Amino acid sequence: MQLQSLSERYGVDKRTLLEYVGENHIAIVKIVKRRLLVDDAKNFVEIAKKIKSVDPQMKVSLICTDNICSKSVALLEQNGIDVLLQTDEMEE
């Protein structure tokens, strides 16, 4: 029997990286060099809705670098999605 991926479990695109970050807490991981804009945030909100349709008690966060615009952060927070910033340990 093949193990089901998190993307398959929640019905999201297989290229979407999901990661458990705690009990009843999952994160969408989006580490890219380009700036994350409002259209990206809207996509993350849709992904979160799919996850919550399967597990209504699941908390959803976004893991990204600090290249996300403030309007995107506001939209995500309005939809109950925390933004967790990934710091590059190489930068000092």
Side-chain angles (χ1 to χ4, degrees):
M1 184 174 166
Q2 187 176 10
L3 217 51
Q4 188 178 37
S5 73
L6 288 177
S7 300
E8 291 172 329
R9 173 177 166 77
Y10 293 109
V12 299
D13 188 289
K14 65 182 178 183
R15 294 174 293 171
T16 301
L17 181 58
L18 300 176
E19 177 180 298
Y20 283 117
V21 291
E23 187 174 336
N24 291 326
H25 190 180
I26 199 166
I28 304 162
V29 181
K30 192 68 173 181
I31 307 297
V32 293
K33 292 186 186 241
R34 69 173 180 80
R35 190 148 177 86
L36 296 175
L37 303 173
V38 173
D39 284 342
D40 298 306
K42 288 177 183 175
N43 289 333
F44 301 141
V45 169
E46 290 306 311
I47 292 169
K49 286 179 181 177
K50 287 182 179 181
I51 292 169
K52 288 183 174 279
S53 73
V54 175
D55 284 334
Q57 301 303 315
M58 186 68 69
K59 177 169 179 44
V60 180
S61 297
L62 170 68
I63 296 175
C64 65
T65 53
D66 64 356
N67 59 341
I68 184 167
C69 78
S70 60
K71 289 181 182 178
S72 296
V73 172
L75 176 65
L76 293 170
E77 288 177 351
Q78 288 169 1
N79 286 278
I81 302 169
D82 292 334
V83 177
L84 307 173
L85 296 179
Q86 169 101 19
T87 57
D88 187 358
E89 296 174 5
M90 302 290 279
E91 292 180 359
E92 288 190 26

